Amino acid sequence: MMTDLLHPDELKKVDPVFGQLSFDDHEQIVFCNDKDTGLKAIIGIHNTVLGPALGGTRMWNYNTEWEALNDVLRLSRGMTFKSAVTGLNLGGGKAVIIGDAKTQKTPELMRRFGEFVNSLGGKYITAEDVGMETSDMDLVRDVTPYVTGVSESRGGAGNPSPITAFGVYMGMKAAAAFKFGTDKLEGKQVLVQGIGHVGASLVEYLTKEGAKVLISDINEDRLQEVSKKYGAVVYTGDDLYTANVDIYAPCALGATINDDTVYKINAKVIAGAANNQLADENRHGAILRERGIAYAPDFLINAGGIINVYAELEGYGKDEIRRKTENIYHTTGEIFAHSEKNGCTTHQSALRVAQARIDARKQEKNA
């Protein structure tokens, strides 16, 4: 029975790719399928004006293929602006593998995915993301040079989580300076939502400075582990968005700032590691601005990870990685100043600065 299939005329009306809300003039979308390994993946290449599209591979058990496509389109677009606003000569790309990373990921599947990456000839360079480990990137490296985030023994820059967290910490301090008149976080109450590799590293930076850190996560064992290690307090309230804290740091999955939460948030500053924190970039960004909440654009302050893997391509060491990541502080301050001067949201300011750099490079190429 094939009653569920759409008639070709109906399919045209659906516009499943170019009609996606997250489609933003992407250059290329690659659908990867391999029956033998069970691989089903999508690679999104948003823009390559500044350089090859670099972005991680995420393995997630999406409910629908539509959801997976929407995710890769949003994430790849974000990578374009992340690299541009940070001053890196990279474009934006991302990949998603549909499946459960705990039960369906195999060495054969990862190598087959690497072969698809290799077929693009360097237009897309992959890296580690949710559901991936450094060992997975090593498997991809077996079949293609177009991968970063490999183990240090294979020429990699090492685990990007601590440097990603450092960038978020720098962005948070810049946002605090804008909102509170000082970048000192000692005594400030900070709620960190999501304490995976990056979130836990952020907790370490914050507690070392003397911030009062609250933590929230769906993994109870992880909560107890991080609480014990850093002295952070586990948040036990009914609704973390209503918590009376100074700073909210979303470090789990995206879109936590949405119609249900945007008016609840009591924090005066939002600065976290999660991608695509604003469910609706323009509307929710505008509401935060109207409410006087200082929002540090996610794609700017979580750029430490891409700076870390960019080092593998450019050949610079850990000191330069740290210096470039520390500069996120200054860039974030400039974005807040740009936002105030132009009467727009910080997210829009960061996008405009990034787009201006892309446009300038495009003009150079066309000259």
Side-chain angles (χ1 to χ4, degrees), residues 18 23-30 44-51 53 73 76 80 91-92 123 362 365:
F18 299 117
F23 184 83
D24 180 41
D25 292 321
H26 283 68
E27 292 179 11
Q28 193 171 359
I29 302 164
V30 183
I45 298 173
H46 178 248
N47 189 287
T48 57
V49 171
L50 294 174
L73 291 173
S76 57
T80 293
K123 191 174 183 182
K362 193 181 287 186
K365 287 183 173 182

Side-chain angles (χ1 to χ4, degrees), residues 128 132-139 148-152 158-160:
E128 183 183 329
M132 290 288 142
E133 305 290 342
T134 303
S135 57
D136 297 314
M137 297 304 101
D138 285 345
L139 290 168
T148 57
V150 296
S151 58
E152 292 186 68
N159 180 11

Side-chain angles (χ1 to χ4, degrees), residues 289-365:
R289 187 170 188 272
E290 287 163 11
R291 296 192 61 216
I293 298 171
Y295 170 70
D298 49 29
F299 65 89
L300 166 59
I301 70 169
N302 68 13
I306 197 168
I307 292 170
N308 193 68
V309 295
Y310 186 58
E312 295 179 29
L313 303 177
E314 294 295 300
Y316 54 76
K318 292 191 182 297
D319 289 346
E320 182 64 6
I321 292 172
R322 180 114 179 156
R323 189 195 69 76
K324 284 181 179 292
T325 306
E326 194 168 2
N327 194 54
I328 288 173
Y329 179 95
H330 302 292
T331 307
T332 305
E334 289 167 2
I335 292 302
F336 276 107
H338 182 280
S339 169
E340 286 292 286
K341 181 181 177 182
N342 294 282
C344 60
T345 70
T346 50
H347 190 89
Q348 289 166 337
S349 285
L351 286 178
R352 288 177 188 178
V353 169
Q355 190 62 54
R357 184 164 178 257
I358 294 168
D359 292 344
R361 180 63 60 84
K362 193 181 287 186
Q363 285 184 344
E364 286 174 21
K365 287 183 173 182

Side-chain angles (χ1 to χ4, degrees), residues 81-343:
F81 297 116
K82 188 193 300 265
S83 291
V85 79
T86 313
L88 305 180
N89 293 321
L90 291 170
K94 207 80 175 183
V96 298
I97 298 175
I98 301 170
D100 188 329
K102 291 191 176 104
T103 60
Q104 294 175 283
K105 186 170 61 177
T106 64
E108 293 77 18
L109 181 140
M110 291 311 305
R111 289 195 187 94
R112 187 69 183 97
F113 172 73
E115 289 171 357
F116 279 106
V117 171
N118 196 58
S119 72
L120 294 168
K123 191 174 183 182
Y124 169 67
I125 301 170
T126 197
E128 183 183 329
D129 203 301
V130 176
M132 290 288 142
E133 305 290 342
T134 303
S135 57
D136 297 314
M137 297 304 101
D138 285 345
L139 290 168
V140 173
R141 174 57 67 86
D142 288 345
V143 295
T144 181
Y146 306 122
V147 55
T148 57
V150 296
S151 58
E152 292 186 68
S153 63
R154 299 188 70 169
N159 180 11
S161 297
I163 201 71
T164 302
F166 180 63
V168 173
Y169 176 58
M170 287 292 101
M172 184 183 291
K173 286 175 74 68
F178 170 78
K179 188 64 187 176
F180 305 124
T182 174
D183 69 2
K184 289 182 172 56
L185 300 178
E186 184 179 0
K188 289 282 187 286
Q189 286 202 314
V190 185
L191 174 57
V192 179
Q193 179 190 29
I195 47 170
H197 298 312
V198 176
S201 294
L202 178 61
V203 170
E204 182 179 7
Y205 284 116
L206 292 169
T207 52
K208 278 183 178 175
E209 190 176 337
K212 297 175 182 176
V213 181
L214 295 161
I215 54 176
S216 172
D217 198 280
I218 57 174
N219 186 328
E220 191 64 37
D221 292 339
R222 181 73 173 158
L223 277 172
Q224 298 308 320
E225 177 191 338
V226 172
S227 174
K228 185 177 179 182
K229 187 173 182 179
Y230 301 114
V233 176
V234 176
Y235 179 75
T236 56
D238 293 331
D239 189 342
L240 65 87
Y241 301 102
T242 63
N244 287 310
V245 295
D246 299 299
I247 301 170
Y248 163 51
C251 296
L253 293 176
T256 57
I257 303 163
N258 51 53
D259 288 341
D260 293 331
T261 64
V262 70
Y263 286 107
K264 290 181 183 178
I265 296 169
N266 283 322
K268 299 294 186 290
V269 168
I270 299 175
N275 287 309
N276 301 319
Q277 293 168 24
L278 303 173
D280 185 312
E281 294 173 3
N282 295 321
R283 191 158 55 84
H284 296 133
I287 292 169
L288 291 178
R289 187 170 188 272
E290 287 163 11
R291 296 192 61 216
I293 298 171
Y295 170 70
D298 49 29
F299 65 89
L300 166 59
I301 70 169
N302 68 13
I306 197 168
I307 292 170
N308 193 68
V309 295
Y310 186 58
E312 295 179 29
L313 303 177
E314 294 295 300
Y316 54 76
K318 292 191 182 297
D319 289 346
E320 182 64 6
I321 292 172
R322 180 114 179 156
R323 189 195 69 76
K324 284 181 179 292
T325 306
E326 194 168 2
N327 194 54
I328 288 173
Y329 179 95
H330 302 292
T331 307
T332 305
E334 289 167 2
I335 292 302
F336 276 107
H338 182 280
S339 169
E340 286 292 286
K341 181 181 177 182
N342 294 282

Side-chain angles (χ1 to χ4, degrees), residues 26-65:
H26 283 68
E27 292 179 11
Q28 193 171 359
I29 302 164
V30 183
F31 293 85
C32 315
N33 180 69
D34 183 67
K35 183 180 177 183
D36 292 340
T37 61
L39 174 71
K40 290 187 185 301
I42 310 172
I43 299 171
I45 298 173
H46 178 248
N47 189 287
T48 57
V49 171
L50 294 174
L54 191 150
T57 295
R58 171 174 296 189
M59 188 165 185
W60 192 257
N61 207 9
Y62 295 97
N63 293 319
T64 64
E65 291 174 12

